[in-house]
Amino acid sequence: MMQRVPEPELMDAVEQAEAYAAADFSSPNGAFVEQVLAAMPRSTQRLLDLGCGPADICIRLARALPRLTVDALDGSRPMLDCARRALGAEPRDLSTRIRLLERQLPDPTLERQAYDAVTSNSLLHHLHDPQVLWQTVTKVASPGATVIVMDLLRPDSTSAAEAIVARYAADEPEVLKQDFYNSLRAAFTPDEVRAQLAEVGFSHWAVTVVSDRHLLVCGRVSADQAAL
Ligand SMILES: C[S@@+](CC[C@H](N)C(=O)[O-])C[C@H]1O[C@@H](n2cnc3c(N)ncnc32)[C@H](O)[C@@H]1O
């Protein structure tokens, strides 16, 4: 089994953020949004998306649910500049429902129990300490909140990681290919994620492998787990 090799947390180089924002993630992002919509009650009003990047997922969610408001958090200003540009191309009744927050996790100023859904795609593997994500979730989620997190899976070997990059990013710029490879090496296995969840009392949450490179975590925060 390949050992985890952490990568830098923030994607704060302009070239890196621009390449990420320009890439076509419609397939995994669309699949993630479908999972969120299936798991989340239609009455959900306040959602927090952690590590939102260019906000493609936030925009898709806001399109699907016309009463949803989204706080889109990221610690990288260049990523949020891409997000701001994407929001600028949307109708005002959508863009005004998405608020961009430039914050780096862990962030002690985040409001307690404020959100009835928390989502995150491809943030977990960036965190040097993965508990930063799960502890943030317990703090910000209101009782009963839905939590859906998707991330990359760490392949068994460097050659398996190279094969995934070749399969899904062959035509992308070099900076994106390198980031993808680094991300695969920094990602966790499903068992590692289960162990992380057990530490915060979420061992009953489902961890499912949903593609050859993604895992999905889905759960609900109970009243006694919220803002522990
Ligand atoms: C791979 S991108 C994913 C973007 C987006 N969720 C998506 O699926 O398109 C990961 C994002 O997490 C952000 N990030 C990493 N560590 C962070 C931290 N500690 N606090 C806030 N944002 C962080 C990075 O800056 C980057 O924009």
Side-chain angles (χ1 to χ4, degrees), residues 9-11 20 51-52 74-76 79 103 105 121-123:
E9 291 206 347
L10 298 184
M11 296 176 68
Y20 191 89
C52 66
D74 205 288
S76 158
M79 274 295 192
R103 309 269 185 86
L105 301 176
N121 180 47
S122 278
L123 166 69

Side-chain angles (χ1 to χ4, degrees), residues 2-207:
M2 177 169 69
Q3 293 298 305
R4 178 178 194 227
V5 182
E7 65 172 337
E9 291 206 347
L10 298 184
M11 296 176 68
D12 54 3
V14 172
E15 185 201 7
Q16 180 185 39
E18 295 282 346
Y20 191 89
D24 180 9
F25 289 110
S26 54
S27 170
N29 288 4
F32 179 63
V33 166
E34 288 303 314
Q35 298 278 0
V36 175
L37 294 175
M40 197 172 75
R42 293 274 146 167
S43 56
T44 301
Q45 291 195 345
R46 277 197 87 187
L47 182 145
L48 175 65
D49 187 54
L50 295 167
C52 66
D56 179 60
I57 287 169
C58 302
I59 291 170
R60 287 168 186 264
L61 287 169
R63 264 191 212 132
L65 297 178
R67 289 175 51 212
L68 187 70
T69 61
V70 178
D71 277 353
L73 177 150
D74 205 288
S76 158
R77 182 162 298 177
M79 274 295 192
L80 292 180
D81 287 342
C82 296
R84 206 165 289 114
R85 211 166 51 219
L87 286 180
E90 294 296 322
R92 255 189 79 72
D93 64 337
L94 186 146
S95 59
T96 52
R97 288 186 287 119
I98 300 179
R99 180 167 68 146
L100 301 179
L101 301 177
E102 188 182 339
R103 309 269 185 86
Q104 179 160 5
L105 301 176
D107 177 3
T109 70
L110 282 175
E111 215 180 319
R112 296 184 91 79
Q113 299 196 352
Y115 298 95
D116 42 16
V118 183
T119 55
S120 180
N121 180 47
S122 278
L123 166 69
L124 181 64
H125 70 268
H126 279 279
L127 299 173
H128 295 169
D129 175 6
Q131 284 306 331
V132 164
L133 174 59
W134 308 119
Q135 278 159 12
T136 300
V137 165
T138 52
K139 181 180 162 191
V140 301
S142 62
T146 311
V147 180
I148 304 149
V149 171
M150 188 162 84
D151 210 284
L152 294 168
L153 281 171
R154 189 167 77 251
D156 288 337
S157 62
T158 51
S159 55
E162 282 160 8
I164 290 176
V165 175
R167 176 154 186 208
Y168 294 104
D171 299 329
E172 299 293 354
E174 205 47 49
V175 63
L176 195 76
K177 281 194 225 175
Q178 191 58 51
D179 273 351
F180 189 21
Y181 178 71
N182 293 342
S183 291
L184 288 164
R185 295 205 309 165
F188 297 99
T189 66
D191 281 345
E192 287 168 349
V193 174
R194 287 187 189 101
Q196 293 163 17
L197 292 170
E199 269 189 57
V200 270
F202 297 148
S203 45
H204 55 293
W205 285 11
V207 180

